[in-house]
Amino acid sequence: MKFCDECGSIMHKEDDTWVCRSCGYETGGDAEAEEAMVTTQAQEDGGIVDVSDAEDKGLPTTSVVCPNCENDRAYWYMQQIRSADESETRFFICTECEHRWREDDH
């Protein structure tokens, strides 16, 4: 990926020239640098994979008691849901019953 030296937008390859579609800036290609670039054009579209029934949610687990079933393990993640000057909110998903709850810092 190459960015425009003038406006910072993404440059697009047209023949042997890089062209900025935002401001019109053009620059010549550099074969060695372009060879090192990674593109997604050759990747095949594998479609959407439904992992909603998968046991591993790809999240870390912690020791916390579920208020629904009293299981002692839950997946957790943090998310900023209030203003930026306040702490993030911790969300939990029970590893047994998949009950969801959150814990706020006060």
Side-chain angles (χ1 to χ4, degrees), residues 54-71:
E55 189 173 319
D56 183 9
K57 301 228 183 279
L59 298 171
T61 60
T62 188
S63 179
V64 63
V65 176
C66 172
N68 190 50
C69 72
E70 298 185 9
N71 179 40

Side-chain angles (χ1 to χ4, degrees), residues 1-2 13 16 18 28-38:
M1 185 177 301
K2 183 169 176 65
K13 185 77 174 189
D16 291 332
W18 286 94
D30 180 355
E32 188 175 313
E34 291 168 14
E35 190 173 312
M37 291 182 186
V38 177

Side-chain angles (χ1 to χ4, degrees), residues 34-82:
E34 291 168 14
E35 190 173 312
M37 291 182 186
V38 177
T39 66
T40 57
Q41 290 175 346
Q43 294 179 348
E44 293 181 23
D45 181 18
I48 297 172
V49 177
D50 182 10
V51 295
S52 60
D53 292 333
E55 189 173 319
D56 183 9
K57 301 228 183 279
L59 298 171
T61 60
T62 188
S63 179
V64 63
V65 176
C66 172
N68 190 50
C69 72
E70 298 185 9
N71 179 40
D72 66 349
R73 300 293 301 168
Y75 300 106
W76 67 274
Y77 62 97
M78 297 182 79
Q79 187 172 358
Q80 187 73 38
I81 60 172
R82 297 174 297 213

